[in-house]
Amino acid sequence: MKLESFNPNTHQKIGEVEKTEPSQVEEIVQKAKQAQSVWSNLKIDERIKILKKAKSILYQNRDDIAKIISEENGKPLFESYSTEIIPTLSLFNYYIKNAKKFLKPHYERIKLPVMIHKKSWIEYVPYGVVGIISPWNYPLLLPMGQIIPALIAGNTVVFKPSEWTPLVGEKIKQIFDEAGLPEYVFNIIHGEAEIGQALVQSSIDKLFFTGSTKVGRLISIAASEKLLPVSLELGGKDPAIVLADADLDRAVYGILWGSLMNAGQTCVSIERVYVDGKIYDAFLSKLVDEIRKLNNYSGNEYYDYSNIKLPKQVDIIKEHIDDALSKGAKIFYGGKIENNFVQPVILVDVNHSMKVMKEETFGPVIPVMKFNTLDEAIELANDSDYGLSASVWTKNIELGKSIAKRILAGSVLINDCISHFGAGEAVIGGIKMSGTGRVHSRSGLMEMVYEKYYNYDTLTWQKKMWWFKYDKKSTEKIKSATDFLFSENLLKRLTSGLKVLPELFKKH
Ligand code: NAD
């Protein structure tokens, strides 16, 4: 069976791939398991060498890959470079440079006097086979943000790209094949939900899911049945708070981009804008001036926003706009919808009884709400089931920082939005319905390993005072040990220590 891929702007078929049968998934996972023991036994420098080659192949083929991303996803070519190719190359650089340092065994001295002679350390062990299920909206960056650290850490990977962007998935496979990864270290499976379900049910050792909260919840339930560790990167409803002292032009440019980049189909896109009443009218008027300058796809590669990729998403966008209008909101600009074309829309007179302020819209919709006090703005920003990211716009950085601390989200940017996705050092992830787990940064690498603790005892002849047998004498000794270790009275510690110390040198 074939999986066909379409360009959402031209509606033309641009390619197809062979679907994986659900029954093949476990077989592939088993091959990945066998490959993993060899891959993880390579020195990290050797794994990094192959990853460096993969990075170089991506760079050499950037134009071809950027074009396919644009065609399959719909996004402007500009964004294929700015939000996919460049951030992915920089993630390669980040992990190539830092992974060895982060994965170095960590020595930990035990300070407890009765164990001071023990030597102990922690190693970072790859989970084994990591399953990666990805969405279609950033078909290169999102999976690569997990594949690169998974491989460097010594895992093998079974990757299921979205059924909406299989061709970019194939490009990723080509990159790793050409880089010379040993067979079955990187594996791709193609298909819809049932292939994802088969992956969750297979014997993978850890799962990374990026996608909607609805599917994330189903996956979390299925994974918990078998205690499969999962990392969930889910939806968002990111607020932007614009203070009266903000640089108005900059706030408008930034928020417009944050709302409409990739036609609003971004997990961390700005979906709610709260503006201080003092600048509300000026903000809206500038926002309209700027939004008018943007172009949709019209046949060449230079446009600002695309059609909506998924037909079902157009229905959700429509539903959110209609629901808002029925509850008193007004369209300030735009809102024309034709097939999968959605003209960017600015909504005013919105409130939190409306879906557009509560549920993920995932489209080019900018609801703008006035606030009068900072406390009110923060309360509104936090009145959400989601907690992915947020932004605060002000010239007063100290005030911005204090507001950022009070916002319930996995990340808060001051005078910017979304760009942290492009920095390897930035921790990405959400709270509440936006998910668990973290990607990118040191934390993203640590999600690919478990900590394994070791220690050995240098006093090989010693009989431990806490071993059997318990009697009156040994109970007195353990009481003295408690005083020796924790009494706040120095004299008591000394006298108890004298009773306990001989025990530490007792032979068996
Ligand atoms: P989706 O949840 O519909 O699909 C995501 C992936 O899951 C696809 O590969 C799909 O085939 C697979 N899938 C669907 N049902 C499944 C099931 N029952 N079991 C296993 N796998 C299943 O999401 P989408 O429409 O592709 O992407 C958009 C969503 O992703 C938005 O909600 C967006 O906010 C979210 N997202 C989150 C992040 C983040 O980092 N937090 C990044 C990008 C997108």
Side-chain angles (χ1 to χ4, degrees):
M1 284 270 283
K2 301 281 185 200
L3 194 57
E4 298 184 326
S5 183
F6 291 88
N7 180 326
N9 293 321
T10 63
H11 306 284
Q12 276 165 0
K13 181 178 158 183
I14 50 171
E16 59 184 25
V17 299
E18 198 64 42
K19 269 195 195 184
T20 311
E21 289 299 322
S23 59
Q24 293 174 298
V25 173
E26 180 59 30
E27 210 179 294
I28 293 167
V29 170
Q30 285 305 326
K31 285 182 178 151
K33 268 193 195 288
Q34 281 167 21
Q36 199 264 333
S37 56
V38 180
W39 178 243
S40 63
N41 275 329
L42 289 181
K43 287 208 168 79
I44 187 166
D45 288 327
E46 292 181 56
R47 294 200 295 270
I48 287 176
K49 208 163 131 193
I50 298 180
L51 270 287
K52 273 186 184 163
K53 190 125 187 264
K55 178 200 142 191
S56 154
I57 293 165
L58 169 60
Y59 177 68
Q60 284 154 21
N61 293 282
R62 62 198 179 280
D63 294 337
D64 175 36
I65 295 172
K67 186 165 169 280
I68 289 193
I69 294 172
S70 247
E71 284 175 0
E72 191 167 47
N73 178 290
K75 66 180 68 181
L77 192 63
F78 185 99
E79 286 180 14
S80 291
Y81 286 96
S82 65
T83 68
E84 303 259 21
I85 302 277
I86 293 175
T88 305
L89 286 169
S90 83
L91 271 178
F92 264 114
N93 277 352
Y94 175 76
Y95 283 121
I96 285 169
K97 182 158 180 268
N98 294 303
K100 199 170 164 183
K101 178 177 75 193
F102 293 153
L103 295 173
K104 217 171 139 197
H106 169 68
Y107 292 86
E108 194 68 69
R109 247 192 103 190
I110 304 180
K111 306 271 172 28
L112 201 65
V114 290
M115 293 193 195
I116 208 154
H117 54 282
K118 281 174 171 283
K119 305 274 180 222
S120 69
W121 71 101
I122 293 155
E123 283 181 6
Y124 300 104
V125 183
Y127 273 99
V129 181
V130 166
I132 296 176
I133 300 180
S134 294
W136 60 270
N137 62 336
Y138 290 84
L140 179 74
L141 173 64
L142 294 175
M144 284 298 221
Q146 295 160 0
I147 294 167
I148 298 165
L151 292 176
I152 286 194
N155 299 283
T156 53
V157 167
V158 180
F159 164 48
K160 190 198 105 49
S162 167
E163 61 274 33
W164 296 93
T165 48
L167 302 185
V168 180
E170 278 301 300
K171 282 285 160 198
I172 294 175
K173 165 114 179 81
Q174 272 173 25
I175 289 171
F176 289 115
D177 284 352
E178 279 180 40
L181 270 189
E183 212 179 8
Y184 299 116
V185 169
F186 178 80
N187 307 273
I188 191 162
I189 53 176
H190 283 294
E192 289 101 351
E194 61 171 347
I195 291 299
Q197 285 162 341
L199 188 59
V200 180
Q201 293 308 333
S202 74
S203 42
I204 50 170
D205 302 292
K206 173 135 191 188
L207 178 70
F208 285 79
F209 172 80
T210 311
S212 61
T213 296
K214 187 173 152 210
V215 176
R217 187 181 282 122
L218 293 175
I219 286 190
S220 181
I221 292 167
S224 69
E225 281 290 327
K226 40 195 289 222
L227 297 184
L228 172 68
V230 273
S231 169
L232 301 168
E233 306 297 325
L234 310 177
K237 190 77 197 166
D238 291 3
I241 299 180
V242 190
L243 304 196
D245 78 331
D247 180 322
L248 195 65
D249 288 353
R250 186 189 157 91
V252 168
Y253 297 145
I255 288 171
L256 194 60
W257 179 75
S259 309
L260 302 187
M261 202 258 285
N262 201 19
Q265 304 162 109
T266 301
C267 55
V268 284
S269 62
I270 294 174
E271 294 222 353
R272 297 178 283 151
V273 184
Y274 303 103
V275 183
D276 190 308
K278 295 187 209 75
I279 56 159
Y280 179 77
D281 291 334
F283 179 89
L284 277 176
S285 134
K286 175 83 186 157
L287 192 64
V288 170
D289 288 349
E290 292 306 317
I291 210 169
R292 281 187 209 282
K293 296 178 188 164
L294 305 184
N295 302 321
N296 62 313
Y297 174 84
S298 60
N300 69 38
E301 60 193 19
Y302 307 114
Y303 52 97
D304 301 296
Y305 59 91
S306 66
N307 285 352
I308 298 302
K309 172 77 179 166
L310 269 53
K312 68 172 183 193
Q313 201 63 40
V314 180
D315 298 337
I316 294 173
I317 295 168
K318 248 192 225 157
E319 185 193 321
H320 284 196
I321 296 173
D322 291 346
D323 171 75
L325 296 179
S326 75
K327 290 173 181 162
K330 291 191 190 68
I331 291 184
F332 196 74
Y333 173 86
K336 202 169 95 188
I337 299 182
E338 233 174 65
N339 300 320
N340 66 335
F341 165 74
V342 178
Q343 184 193 21
V345 48
I346 301 172
L347 287 174
V348 294
D349 294 343
V350 290
N351 62 53
H352 280 217
S353 73
M354 301 170 184
K355 287 182 181 176
V356 80
M357 299 302 275
K358 301 292 272 184
E359 298 172 17
E360 189 180 45
T361 310
F362 218 56
V365 180
I366 315 178
V368 187
M369 192 170 169
K370 198 187 292 187
F371 70 82
N372 295 312
T373 66
L374 258 183
D375 283 346
E376 185 194 352
I378 294 167
E379 205 174 301
L380 287 166
N382 288 339
D383 178 27
S384 176
D385 292 334
Y386 294 96
L388 194 51
S389 190
S391 59
V392 181
W393 303 79
T394 171
K395 284 194 205 123
N396 183 341
I397 300 298
E398 286 313 311
L399 179 61
K401 287 200 289 200
S402 72
I403 296 170
K405 270 188 190 295
R406 293 172 62 193
I407 294 180
L408 304 173
S411 54
V412 184
L413 274 63
I414 300 165
N415 294 325
D416 199 5
C417 52
I418 305 180
S419 60
H420 57 316
F421 247 93
E425 294 80 359
V427 186
I428 307 284
I431 58 168
K432 301 196 264 183
M433 288 207 326
S434 293
T436 59
R438 293 294 181 262
V439 291
H440 299 186
S441 73
R442 180 183 183 277
S443 309
L445 182 67
M446 290 300 124
E447 293 261 358
M448 301 295 168
V449 292
Y450 61 89
E451 287 179 295
K452 186 168 178 184
Y453 177 77
Y454 299 84
N455 85 30
Y456 68 85
D457 204 312
T458 53
L459 302 182
T460 52
W461 41 264
Q462 186 198 39
K463 178 175 185 285
K464 300 293 177 200
M465 64 177 291
W466 53 85
W467 290 350
F468 291 132
K469 177 159 189 10
Y470 308 149
D471 55 18
K472 187 162 187 280
K473 203 168 146 205
S474 66
T475 305
E476 286 308 318
K477 289 270 155 62
I478 204 74
K479 283 183 181 172
S480 298
T482 312
D483 294 333
F484 167 53
L485 293 171
F486 303 110
S487 171
E488 284 165 16
N489 179 324
L490 191 61
L491 190 62
K492 185 150 197 168
R493 285 193 76 178
L494 282 174
T495 51
S496 318
L498 288 174
K499 289 183 201 158
V500 173
L501 278 176
E503 291 299 315
L504 300 180
F505 297 100
K506 221 176 213 172
K507 280 192 171 186
H508 53 77

